[in-house]
Amino acid sequence: MKSWSALRGFLHPHRVKNQSSSKPNYLFTWNSLPRRVISTHRSSIQEILQNTASSQNSPNVTLTGWIRSLRKHKNFVFLQLSDGSISNHIQVVCNAHVYDDCEAKYGSSVLVEGKLISSPSSNHDVEVEAGKIHVLGDCDPHLYPFKARRKHTLDYVRDYLHLRPRTNYFSAVLRMRNALSMAIHEYFQNNGYCFIHTPILTPSDCEGAGEVFLVDSVASNNQSKLETVKHKNFFNQNTYLTVSGQLHLEAICGSFRRCYSFGPTYRAEKSTGKLHLAEFYMVEAEIAFLDNGLDGLMTILQSLIKSTFKQLQDKHITDMNFFFNQMPEKYRKMLENMIDIDFQKISYTDAINLLIKYNEKFTFPIRWGDDLKKEHEKFLVSYFENTPVFVCDFPLEIKPFYARVNEDGQTVAAVDLLVPEIGELVGGSMREERLPILEKRLKELSLDKQYSWYLDLRRFGNTKHGGFGLGFERYMQYLFNISSIKDTIPFPRYYGNCKV
């Protein structure tokens, strides 16, 4: 074992003592570093598998990853290696003596040096013939909670949030979460929207539901009790974790024609259901000069849903196929057909009249003025042959204060987009731009003082505008047929659970 001083000299650039000074003055040069240390690029498994022809022209490869399966034969050992870059693994073949020199185990991280060769297996085009395997991080398969050649349930895997990215299923979820995030950003950027970071701390409850997390400071150990009492409220007012960035986006929309945000939001709903999280991500957008009202808003929404899904199909087909192969054929066809059809549209009043005819089927019979429950939303989607459905013009009393009042004085220009298996995916509305009406509404709710700044947006250079919020995790559930929303996000937070 080399001494620490020798190792330190190896890890750092060559140091030359400045002889003209009495104090050490080290100059850094790279000349003495081993070439292998300077050159850190190694091919990812995705690069190797997607560029097979060029990879075989220069067959020597060095790759790193984790062993996902291991099969020993008399003279050969077969390893399946993954590095998270793609859902497919690459097969590594080595002589028994090469394996005996390293004793890599299932779950270990390794560096493999070898040659890329054509594979005789029908399951692989190429494989790596290993000349040397270096174990970088050992793994005890007896203690490792995920066992080789065993399919673990998602409920079981969820007990190991810190380790579940290592499973095939959840690594695919994370890649597609990344891909879908980028597709959404690309859609907005290509259509002239400005990306805005809206605050996480806010004094308002945008939705008016009251299901918020109150934020306050906690004294550190070295603060006196007297100081804690003196600074009882950090912000000198009630402050919450945001439930929506909409109101702040509306402020931005006073000078930008189109803007959007994509960030965490919080709801203190005491639910452990498959569609609810306490912390989740919302895609929100506001559009100024929206003269064609709800129809224009619904056109934008349909375009966003279709274009982002199509981008996943075009650019990430390997991971899309991973999920397609696990979902019923009927569900897959329904998703693929969604790109080519127009979404259905029905008014809230017509939807209620339809639902009333089937009230005996529902756990919660419905009447005009009630908000739609999940069973009603799913019924409407099913009624329209599993096509996404816009439900519009809701009763004024069940929508937030900012929704634009229709001419009938009883409904507002609000819309929900319902999709198969999920129900509500998007909520949006035209925003009330008429100052007298908005002022009256806020006074009725005793919110006029709290939202005086919001009224200013109508006083100075107002426009007819609208916007929407899309639940990102629910969108993932819809596109990848994921049963529980807890399996769409790396570290889910929900009622009674905030692990890791």
Side-chain angles (χ1 to χ4, degrees):
M1 180 68 184
K2 292 184 178 181
S3 68
W4 166 243
S5 58
L7 182 62
R8 186 170 55 184
F10 173 77
L11 291 175
H12 290 281
H14 182 58
R15 297 175 295 178
V16 181
K17 187 175 180 180
N18 189 338
Q19 301 296 333
S20 64
S21 172
S22 58
K23 294 182 179 180
N25 179 16
Y26 292 111
L27 306 177
F28 290 80
T29 65
W30 293 99
N31 295 334
S32 63
L33 271 181
R35 183 175 183 84
R36 185 168 171 182
V37 174
I38 298 174
S39 179
T40 58
H41 175 74
R42 299 186 183 106
S43 297
S44 71
I45 291 174
Q46 181 185 35
E47 291 171 333
I48 292 173
L49 295 180
Q50 293 185 349
N51 300 285
T52 301
S54 58
S55 298
Q56 286 183 297
N57 291 332
S58 52
N60 293 327
V61 293
T62 300
L63 65 158
T64 53
W66 293 267
I67 298 174
R68 294 294 183 240
S69 74
L70 188 154
R71 290 181 292 118
K72 298 179 184 178
H73 296 269
K74 184 177 180 180
N75 298 317
F76 295 96
V77 176
F78 297 88
L79 311 176
Q80 293 292 324
L81 209 63
S82 169
D83 65 359
S85 62
I86 193 170
S87 59
N88 294 338
H89 301 163
I90 192 166
Q91 179 161 280
V92 176
V93 186
C94 65
N95 289 322
H97 69 84
V98 172
Y99 175 78
D100 291 340
D101 288 343
C102 71
E103 294 186 355
K105 303 180 186 71
Y106 167 70
S108 299
S109 61
V110 296
L111 182 149
V112 176
E113 297 175 297
K115 292 183 178 181
L116 195 68
I117 61 174
S118 296
S119 175
S121 169
S122 59
N123 297 324
H124 313 281
D125 292 329
V126 294
E127 60 189 29
V128 174
E129 185 181 79
K132 195 148 192 173
I133 299 174
H134 308 268
V135 175
L136 304 179
D138 199 9
C139 178
D140 186 338
H142 300 293
L143 298 178
Y144 190 45
F146 306 142
K147 305 305 178 185
R149 294 187 293 279
R150 186 184 303 174
K151 188 171 183 179
H152 299 92
T153 67
L154 293 176
D155 288 340
Y156 173 82
V157 172
R158 208 177 298 133
D159 287 334
Y160 301 93
L161 295 180
H162 56 300
L163 296 175
R164 73 172 178 169
R166 305 179 188 205
T167 65
N168 294 338
Y169 184 85
F170 203 72
S171 64
V173 167
L174 292 180
R175 279 190 299 275
M176 294 313 286
R177 185 180 176 95
N178 169 69
L180 184 56
S181 298
M182 294 303 102
I184 289 170
H185 277 295
E186 188 172 321
Y187 173 85
F188 284 121
Q189 292 295 316
N190 289 344
N191 286 280
Y193 289 75
C194 182
F195 179 45
I196 303 297
H197 294 105
T198 55
I200 290 176
L201 298 175
T202 173
S204 62
D205 172 10
C206 175
E207 299 293 324
E211 297 167 330
V212 294
F213 289 101
L214 181 65
V215 177
D216 205 350
S217 59
V218 177
S220 61
N221 292 334
N222 56 3
Q223 277 185 305
S224 68
K225 291 183 178 180
L226 182 63
E227 287 177 311
T228 304
V229 173
K230 186 178 177 180
H231 301 285
K232 191 172 183 180
N233 190 308
F234 187 89
F235 294 103
N236 290 323
Q237 67 182 93
N238 284 344
T239 305
Y240 312 97
L241 293 179
T242 183
V243 298
S244 170
Q246 178 208 313
L247 301 185
H248 296 96
L249 277 183
E250 285 195 61
I252 303 298
C253 199
S255 60
F256 288 80
R257 289 179 61 251
R258 297 179 173 187
C259 57
Y260 77 103
S261 66
F262 188 170
T265 53
Y266 303 85
R267 303 282 170 88
E269 294 181 79
K270 293 183 177 180
S271 171
T272 58
K274 293 185 175 183
L275 295 169
H276 294 95
L277 290 170
E279 179 185 58
F280 57 97
Y281 279 69
M282 283 278 282
V283 179
E284 300 183 89
E286 291 292 320
I287 305 98
F289 306 103
L290 196 57
D291 296 327
N292 50 353
L294 272 189
D295 287 337
L297 197 61
M298 288 186 283
T299 298
I300 293 169
L301 273 170
Q302 181 169 279
S303 172
L304 169 65
I305 298 297
K306 290 185 175 184
S307 66
T308 49
F309 178 54
K310 189 173 189 308
Q311 181 164 325
L312 296 185
Q313 287 185 301
D314 292 344
K315 296 184 178 180
H316 304 276
I317 191 60
T318 302
D319 276 313
M320 278 306 306
N321 282 337
F322 176 86
F323 288 101
F324 279 155
N325 292 336
Q326 298 190 51
M327 64 179 66
E329 183 67 20
K330 186 177 180 181
Y331 194 93
R332 173 177 178 165
K333 287 182 178 179
M334 176 267 294
L335 281 176
E336 292 174 329
N337 292 338
M338 177 261 288
I339 292 179
D340 301 317
I341 59 175
D342 288 329
F343 294 177
Q344 296 290 329
K345 175 185 172 183
I346 187 172
S347 71
Y348 169 87
T349 299
D350 288 343
I352 293 299
N353 291 336
L354 172 62
L355 291 168
I356 287 174
K357 295 178 182 178
Y358 298 91
N359 254 342
E360 70 278 358
K361 291 187 175 184
F362 301 133
T363 304
F364 300 97
I366 196 166
R367 61 182 180 180
W368 200 95
D370 293 342
D371 206 353
L372 298 178
K373 295 198 178 291
K374 199 59 59 184
E375 60 177 342
H376 307 134
E377 294 171 347
K378 290 185 176 182
F379 177 88
L380 289 171
V381 174
S382 172
Y383 183 84
F384 287 104
E385 299 180 340
N386 286 320
T387 301
V389 182
F390 288 115
V391 181
C392 55
D393 299 319
F394 285 79
L396 180 149
E397 298 300 328
I398 64 173
K399 287 297 179 181
F401 64 85
Y402 49 74
R404 192 181 199 274
V405 180
N406 288 328
E407 297 303 317
D408 59 17
Q410 296 184 354
T411 62
V412 292
V415 61
D416 286 354
L417 176 61
L418 314 180
V419 297
E421 299 301 321
I422 304 301
E424 181 190 351
L425 175 64
V426 184
S429 75
M430 294 300 296
R431 315 310 190 192
E432 184 55 79
E433 85 284 2
R434 296 163 295 185
L435 179 59
I437 296 176
L438 182 59
E439 212 164 19
K440 180 184 176 184
R441 181 92 169 111
L442 285 171
K443 282 182 179 179
E444 290 172 350
L445 299 170
S446 300
L447 295 173
D448 51 315
K449 290 184 179 179
Q450 181 181 350
Y451 290 101
S452 59
W453 68 270
Y454 188 69
L455 292 171
D456 279 349
L457 302 179
R458 273 62 178 171
R459 291 189 180 102
F460 311 117
N462 191 26
T463 71
K464 194 171 183 179
H465 64 288
F468 60 85
L470 177 151
F472 181 67
E473 283 76 20
R474 286 191 181 183
Y475 191 26
M476 289 187 65
Q477 282 187 274
Y478 169 50
L479 294 185
F480 311 128
N481 193 33
I482 299 174
S483 175
S484 174
I485 198 168
K486 301 176 186 69
D487 298 320
T488 63
I489 192 168
F491 302 100
R493 276 75 173 99
Y494 50 94
Y495 181 59
N497 190 291
C498 189
K499 294 179 179 179
V500 186

